[in-house]
Amino acid sequence: MTGLEPMRDHWWWRPGWCVGRSFYTWHVTFADQPGAGRLVADYAPVLAGLPQLDPVPARWLHLTLQGVGFTDETDRAEVDRVVEAARGRCAGLEPFTVTIGSAHVDPETIQMPVRPLEPLAALRRAIRAAIGDVRGPENVPEPEAGFRAHVSLGYCNTAGPAEPIAEALEVHSRHSAEVVVSSVSSIDFNRDRKAYEWTDVATVRLGG
């Protein structure tokens, strides 16, 4: 297997990030979804043989939807107003089922696509609209275009060739899982320990 882009260390400090700094964002999380936990267990044997990857524990499995801002630059009262706006926006959306998987190599991760895209894109649009309700539509961070719905199973911790990881996945069985998206979470997350860890700010249910 040749021609793959080399892997990069995922944990380099992106602009604005440093130890001790955290970020408000919106994620779909899967702690209450047995199918997501099974996916982590299904792929655990292949990740265990790849020390260049940091596996994502089941409790931290997530799908990133929409950022809000660094916590030291964003007033918590504003975040709370966005949450309330999101409750109104998401009341008109029904829970939906998506399929996660199977896993493939990305330049910094092992990740799994999530399909179908449209209900997730609609959920993201609702969150973006809620931020716009509070800040004004011109002040919603991150572009609306280019959204790629995915869940990462592991993050690369060193630069190196992608082929060994791709080959390990190739010989491992492919796995996927259906999960129900019935809520979205406003969270305060950090990456101090080479992992994405968070505390919950609020949970917004779809359908009110």
Side-chain angles (χ1 to χ4, degrees):
M1 187 174 297
T2 59
L4 295 175
E5 182 179 346
M7 300 291 286
R8 305 185 295 265
D9 182 0
H10 179 78
W11 301 117
W12 63 279
W13 289 106
R14 289 157 172 78
W17 280 98
C18 62
V19 174
R21 202 172 196 202
S22 63
F23 194 83
Y24 289 124
T25 189
W26 289 84
H27 282 181
V28 176
T29 59
F30 303 101
D32 62 344
Q33 293 288 315
R38 285 195 297 273
L39 267 183
V40 172
D42 287 339
Y43 279 105
V46 66
L47 269 68
L50 297 167
Q52 64 271 53
L53 295 173
D54 295 323
V56 178
R59 66 173 297 195
W60 299 127
L61 207 66
H62 63 276
L63 188 157
T64 301
L65 274 185
Q66 174 65 43
V68 177
F70 285 105
T71 58
D72 58 357
E73 295 178 345
T74 308
D75 184 61
R76 174 57 189 264
E78 179 185 76
V79 173
D80 292 341
R81 291 196 298 273
V82 171
V83 168
E84 289 310 306
R87 293 192 197 285
R89 293 282 183 173
C90 291
L93 300 177
E94 294 298 324
F96 55 90
T97 300
V98 294
T99 299
I100 307 175
S102 56
H104 64 87
V105 176
D106 191 67
E108 294 186 7
T109 67
I110 286 182
Q111 64 178 230
M112 302 176 289
V114 185
R115 296 291 183 269
L117 177 63
E118 178 48 36
L120 290 162
L123 177 56
R124 183 172 185 258
R125 288 194 295 269
I127 297 301
R128 289 179 59 83
I131 296 171
D133 290 341
V134 175
R135 291 183 172 176
E138 70 280 4
N139 294 315
V140 179
E142 305 175 1
E144 181 176 346
F147 173 56
R148 292 191 309 121
H150 67 277
V151 172
S152 293
L153 272 173
Y155 297 99
C156 187
N157 57 40
T158 187
E163 283 78 10
I165 299 173
E167 289 167 3
L169 286 173
E170 187 68 23
V171 301
H172 191 75
S173 298
R174 295 179 180 271
H175 303 281
S176 62
E178 287 191 349
V179 299
V180 177
V181 177
S182 59
S183 66
V184 60
S185 297
S186 172
I187 65 172
D188 173 348
F189 89 95
N190 72 80
R191 43 170 291 169
D192 289 355
R193 301 189 297 177
K194 291 192 174 183
Y196 291 107
E197 301 171 323
W198 62 81
T199 56
D200 290 321
V201 173
T203 298
V204 173
R205 299 287 175 186
L206 276 59

